[in-house]
mmCIF file of all heavy atoms in Angstrom:
data_model
loop_
_atom_site.group_PDB
_atom_site.id
_atom_site.type_symbol
_atom_site.label_atom_id
_atom_site.label_comp_id
_atom_site.label_asym_id
_atom_site.label_seq_id
_atom_site.Cartn_x
_atom_site.Cartn_y
_atom_site.Cartn_z
ATOM 1 N N ARG E 121 199.881 72.233 187.923
ATOM 2 C CA ARG E 121 200.284 73.547 187.396
ATOM 3 C C ARG E 121 201.546 74.099 188.048
ATOM 4 O O ARG E 121 201.723 75.308 188.168
ATOM 5 C CB ARG E 121 199.131 74.540 187.500
ATOM 6 C CG ARG E 121 197.951 74.086 186.694
ATOM 7 C CD ARG E 121 196.789 74.977 186.790
ATOM 8 N NE ARG E 121 195.718 74.340 186.026
ATOM 9 C CZ ARG E 121 194.629 74.909 185.658
ATOM 10 N NH1 ARG E 121 194.407 76.158 185.990
ATOM 11 N NH2 ARG E 121 193.724 74.273 184.973
ATOM 12 N N LEU E 122 202.407 73.192 188.450
ATOM 13 C CA LEU E 122 203.718 73.566 188.982
ATOM 14 C C LEU E 122 204.702 73.371 187.827
ATOM 15 O O LEU E 122 205.492 72.429 187.799
ATOM 16 C CB LEU E 122 204.062 72.698 190.195
ATOM 17 C CG LEU E 122 203.066 72.799 191.350
ATOM 18 C CD1 LEU E 122 203.296 71.705 192.381
ATOM 19 C CD2 LEU E 122 203.134 74.179 191.992
ATOM 20 N N TYR E 123 204.605 74.252 186.845
ATOM 21 C CA TYR E 123 205.241 74.042 185.551
ATOM 22 C C TYR E 123 206.762 74.041 185.595
ATOM 23 O O TYR E 123 207.391 73.210 184.941
ATOM 24 C CB TYR E 123 204.726 75.057 184.530
ATOM 25 C CG TYR E 123 203.242 74.922 184.286
ATOM 26 C CD1 TYR E 123 202.381 75.978 184.512
ATOM 27 C CD2 TYR E 123 202.697 73.710 183.840
ATOM 28 C CE1 TYR E 123 201.019 75.854 184.296
ATOM 29 C CE2 TYR E 123 201.343 73.573 183.627
ATOM 30 C CZ TYR E 123 200.502 74.654 183.851
ATOM 31 O OH TYR E 123 199.156 74.515 183.643
ATOM 32 N N SER E 124 207.369 74.946 186.343
ATOM 33 C CA SER E 124 208.839 74.954 186.365
ATOM 34 C C SER E 124 209.377 73.684 187.032
ATOM 35 O O SER E 124 210.373 73.112 186.583
ATOM 36 C CB SER E 124 209.385 76.216 187.036
ATOM 37 O OG SER E 124 208.960 76.296 188.375
ATOM 38 N N ALA E 125 208.704 73.220 188.078
ATOM 39 C CA ALA E 125 209.110 71.957 188.716
ATOM 40 C C ALA E 125 208.901 70.798 187.747
ATOM 41 O O ALA E 125 209.742 69.892 187.656
ATOM 42 C CB ALA E 125 208.317 71.725 190.001
ATOM 43 N N SER E 126 207.812 70.840 187.009
ATOM 44 C CA SER E 126 207.545 69.793 186.027
ATOM 45 C C SER E 126 208.666 69.708 185.003
ATOM 46 O O SER E 126 209.173 68.626 184.707
ATOM 47 C CB SER E 126 206.206 70.072 185.333
ATOM 48 O OG SER E 126 205.949 69.112 184.344
ATOM 49 N N LEU E 127 209.077 70.839 184.482
ATOM 50 C CA LEU E 127 210.157 70.860 183.501
ATOM 51 C C LEU E 127 211.457 70.334 184.109
ATOM 52 O O LEU E 127 212.167 69.552 183.476
ATOM 53 C CB LEU E 127 210.375 72.268 182.939
ATOM 54 C CG LEU E 127 211.513 72.392 181.923
ATOM 55 C CD1 LEU E 127 211.252 71.523 180.698
ATOM 56 C CD2 LEU E 127 211.712 73.855 181.535
ATOM 57 N N ARG E 128 211.746 70.721 185.326
ATOM 58 C CA ARG E 128 212.968 70.262 185.989
ATOM 59 C C ARG E 128 212.999 68.731 186.060
ATOM 60 O O ARG E 128 214.020 68.107 185.765
ATOM 61 C CB ARG E 128 213.066 70.869 187.391
ATOM 62 C CG ARG E 128 214.317 70.468 188.143
ATOM 63 C CD ARG E 128 214.491 71.179 189.483
ATOM 64 N NE ARG E 128 213.298 71.225 190.289
ATOM 65 C CZ ARG E 128 212.656 72.346 190.637
ATOM 66 N NH1 ARG E 128 213.109 73.518 190.253
ATOM 67 N NH2 ARG E 128 211.570 72.306 191.380
ATOM 68 N N TYR E 129 211.880 68.104 186.415
ATOM 69 C CA TYR E 129 211.846 66.640 186.518
ATOM 70 C C TYR E 129 211.808 65.971 185.144
ATOM 71 O O TYR E 129 212.348 64.878 184.983
ATOM 72 C CB TYR E 129 210.703 66.183 187.426
ATOM 73 C CG TYR E 129 211.000 66.543 188.858
ATOM 74 C CD1 TYR E 129 210.289 67.531 189.515
ATOM 75 C CD2 TYR E 129 212.046 65.924 189.538
ATOM 76 C CE1 TYR E 129 210.593 67.881 190.827
ATOM 77 C CE2 TYR E 129 212.362 66.265 190.840
ATOM 78 C CZ TYR E 129 211.629 67.247 191.479
ATOM 79 O OH TYR E 129 211.955 67.596 192.764
ATOM 80 N N MET E 130 211.227 66.630 184.155
ATOM 81 C CA MET E 130 211.287 66.072 182.801
ATOM 82 C C MET E 130 212.724 66.075 182.292
ATOM 83 O O MET E 130 213.168 65.117 181.645
ATOM 84 C CB MET E 130 210.374 66.850 181.848
ATOM 85 C CG MET E 130 208.913 66.486 181.988
ATOM 86 S SD MET E 130 207.869 67.266 180.739
ATOM 87 C CE MET E 130 207.316 68.715 181.621
ATOM 88 N N GLU E 131 213.460 67.133 182.590
ATOM 89 C CA GLU E 131 214.858 67.202 182.161
ATOM 90 C C GLU E 131 215.695 66.127 182.869
ATOM 91 O O GLU E 131 216.574 65.525 182.256
ATOM 92 C CB GLU E 131 215.434 68.599 182.410
ATOM 93 C CG GLU E 131 214.848 69.674 181.509
ATOM 94 C CD GLU E 131 215.133 69.458 180.024
ATOM 95 O OE1 GLU E 131 216.153 68.832 179.683
ATOM 96 O OE2 GLU E 131 214.319 69.914 179.197
ATOM 97 N N LYS E 132 215.419 65.885 184.144
ATOM 98 C CA LYS E 132 216.123 64.811 184.855
ATOM 99 C C LYS E 132 215.799 63.458 184.227
ATOM 100 O O LYS E 132 216.678 62.616 184.050
ATOM 101 C CB LYS E 132 215.736 64.792 186.336
ATOM 102 C CG LYS E 132 216.400 65.852 187.165
ATOM 103 C CD LYS E 132 215.980 65.688 188.629
ATOM 104 C CE LYS E 132 216.871 66.487 189.517
ATOM 105 N NZ LYS E 132 217.674 65.684 190.401
ATOM 106 N N SER E 133 214.550 63.279 183.882
ATOM 107 C CA SER E 133 214.133 62.024 183.264
ATOM 108 C C SER E 133 214.781 61.834 181.898
ATOM 109 O O SER E 133 215.192 60.727 181.542
ATOM 110 C CB SER E 133 212.605 62.005 183.127
ATOM 111 O OG SER E 133 212.165 60.778 182.617
ATOM 112 N N LYS E 134 214.905 62.920 181.170
ATOM 113 C CA LYS E 134 215.504 62.860 179.829
ATOM 114 C C LYS E 134 216.956 62.399 179.901
ATOM 115 O O LYS E 134 217.426 61.688 179.020
ATOM 116 C CB LYS E 134 215.389 64.234 179.157
ATOM 117 C CG LYS E 134 215.553 64.189 177.671
ATOM 118 C CD LYS E 134 214.996 65.420 176.958
ATOM 119 C CE LYS E 134 215.735 66.672 177.219
ATOM 120 N NZ LYS E 134 215.354 67.772 176.310
ATOM 121 N N LYS E 135 217.655 62.753 180.965
ATOM 122 C CA LYS E 135 219.056 62.323 181.121
ATOM 123 C C LYS E 135 219.154 60.818 181.355
ATOM 124 O O LYS E 135 220.164 60.206 181.016
ATOM 125 C CB LYS E 135 219.710 63.075 182.282
ATOM 126 C CG LYS E 135 219.977 64.532 181.980
ATOM 127 C CD LYS E 135 220.581 65.235 183.171
ATOM 128 C CE LYS E 135 220.769 66.704 182.866
ATOM 129 N NZ LYS E 135 221.227 67.449 184.045
ATOM 130 N N ILE E 136 218.130 60.235 181.936
ATOM 131 C CA ILE E 136 218.149 58.810 182.240
ATOM 132 C C ILE E 136 217.605 57.979 181.084
ATOM 133 O O ILE E 136 218.161 56.946 180.739
ATOM 134 C CB ILE E 136 217.324 58.520 183.513
ATOM 135 C CG1 ILE E 136 218.009 59.148 184.731
ATOM 136 C CG2 ILE E 136 217.151 57.024 183.727
ATOM 137 C CD1 ILE E 136 217.191 59.074 185.991
#
Side-chain angles (χ1 to χ4, degrees):
R121 299 178 184 194
L122 301 168
Y123 298 121
S124 61
S126 178
L127 179 61
R128 181 174 46 244
Y129 290 110
M130 282 187 265
E131 291 297 333
K132 283 182 166 246
S133 184
K134 199 161 68 168
K135 288 178 183 174
I136 293 172

